[in-house]
Amino acid sequence: MIRILLGLILSLGLVLSAPVSAQDNSPNPPNDRTSTGGAQNLQDILDRQNQKRIDDQFRRDATGAEEGAPAIDQLGTLGGASDSDIWRAYRYGSADVRVSGGGDVAKTVMQSGGMWWLKFRATTLHTLMTYSIIGILVLLALFYLIRGKIRISGGKTGRKVIRFKAVERLGHWTLAISFILLALTGLFTLFGRQIILPLLGREAFSTMAIAAKWIHNNVAWAFIIGLVMIFVFWVKDNFPDKTDIKWIAQGGGIFNKNLHPPAKKFNAGQKVIFWSVVIFGTSVSVTGVSLLFPFQIPLFGHTFEILNAMGLPQLVGFGELNTALTPQEDMQFAHVWHALLAGLLIVIVIAHIYIGSVGMEGAFSAVGTGEVEEQWAREHHSLWVEQVLAEERAAPKDAQEV
């Protein structure tokens, strides 16, 4: 899972740093700008439209000169710098900006690199989130129509086995409820302007947006607490072992009503969900805290330095990632990474909710009452229930009565 997370970070850097650093690394022939007196020409415009890397040093350096026409008075000349020169210096960060407070963040007067983030959020992110959520819902509906509800195939015994203690269920529901609230408010923030605003109007949307922001920012702490709780309670039972190989080879018995591969307390599918929630949830939490405290916890400049040092971007032919990120750019990367992983978690959790409710008979009681039907346990977690029953039989009678 660590490799997957690292690969996702690398992919994000490679894809999203392209507009900031280099979209196309193919070498371009030298561009002769003598006909325009050193200014940009048609070839520069075409190269930018084709997302090619251009040498814009000629523009970066064109920020005026101290020598030139002298400034006479307020109505006279600007000396050696024109308005376009000044704004160009702002754009490329070469202007001598002085602020009384706010540090480097306040010194960024113009950040044209943020346009890629705005476009990505308004188009690509919307598309990915929409198709992912609709896609998983359609797949689950089709699976239910074809397979139906996974029933307890053997005769019910009427005996109950304790699966999760009260404190374990508290951790699960703290995480689950907080995640649902975060997912709903996050989706509202992403799609609200396009869907809710036209339907309810500006005033109603404004009230809902303020409430969604407050819920999202504060419920996040409950999510982090729940994440820590379930990790502490269940990590020891979620390490992969050889029984998972057989479970995966038999498809978990999902497609065969009479097949029940052996499993311990958690089967291979549950382990995948557990580690996905732990790893992706941790990453979402870290970027979320970074967004809660803007510009205080920069993450991606240092992350890209590590990837460059490991040689991963160079290995796939992208060259070194841009590490000289402005505070605004670092926040934009944090937002995109936060949203992408949150979307992935939403898809995973939707599948988890399905199998734990309408998809499988007897599954919900495990986190509902904490007890499961013994036959359900034998069919889905046979190795675990055998161990539990053996421990009960070996326990002193006095302890069993207590």
Side-chain angles (χ1 to χ4, degrees), residues 121-190:
R121 185 186 185 279
T123 57
T124 307
L125 186 58
H126 276 210
T127 302
L128 287 174
M129 202 72 73
T130 301
Y131 281 105
S132 297
I133 294 175
I134 293 178
I136 189 63
L137 291 175
V138 170
L139 287 175
L140 291 175
L142 290 174
F143 180 79
Y144 185 81
L145 291 174
I146 296 172
R147 175 65 171 84
K149 191 168 189 174
I150 300 175
R151 301 285 183 180
I152 299 175
S153 57
K156 295 182 180 181
T157 63
R159 296 186 295 271
K160 299 293 183 180
V161 179
I162 297 176
R163 180 145 174 82
F164 297 123
K165 299 177 182 178
V167 68
E168 293 178 284
R169 301 199 304 278
L170 175 63
H172 172 273
W173 285 113
T174 299
L175 184 69
I177 295 173
S178 61
F179 179 80
I180 291 173
L181 290 173
L182 290 171
L184 292 176
T185 53
L187 291 173
F188 177 88
T189 303
L190 182 61

Side-chain angles (χ1 to χ4, degrees), residues 52-109:
K52 290 186 177 181
R53 169 183 282 181
I54 65 170
D55 180 10
D56 61 355
Q57 195 64 41
F58 72 98
R59 303 178 69 190
R60 291 177 179 270
D61 296 337
T63 56
E66 293 183 0
E67 67 276 4
I72 301 173
D73 53 34
Q74 292 182 347
L75 299 178
T77 100
L78 293 175
S82 65
D83 284 345
S84 59
D85 294 331
I86 294 173
W87 285 109
R88 193 177 295 114
Y90 286 150
R91 176 180 180 183
Y92 290 110
S94 60
D96 183 20
V97 179
R98 301 178 185 181
V99 294
S100 58
D104 292 337
V105 177
K107 289 182 180 180
T108 305
V109 180

Side-chain angles (χ1 to χ4, degrees), residues 1 4 136 140 172 175-176 179 223 227 230-231 234-235 237-240 244 247-248 254 266-282 344-357 360 381:
M1 297 303 295
I4 294 175
I136 189 63
L140 291 175
H172 172 273
L175 184 69
F179 179 80
F223 176 82
L227 188 64
I230 64 108
F231 178 79
W234 295 336
V235 64
D237 296 310
N238 274 283
F239 291 108
D244 298 326
W247 190 93
I248 294 172
I254 294 176
F266 297 105
N267 58 44
Q270 291 169 325
K271 290 177 181 179
V272 169
I273 292 176
F274 173 83
W275 287 112
S276 297
V277 170
V278 167
I279 294 175
F280 298 153
T282 300
L344 180 59
L345 276 177
I346 288 173
V347 172
I348 293 172
V349 170
I350 288 175
H352 176 64
I353 292 174
Y354 165 80
I355 202 67
S357 56
M360 177 179 290
H381 301 275

Side-chain angles (χ1 to χ4, degrees), residues 365-377:
S365 63
V367 291
T369 64
E371 297 179 332
V372 294
E373 161 64 39
E374 183 179 314
Q375 182 60 28
W376 178 92

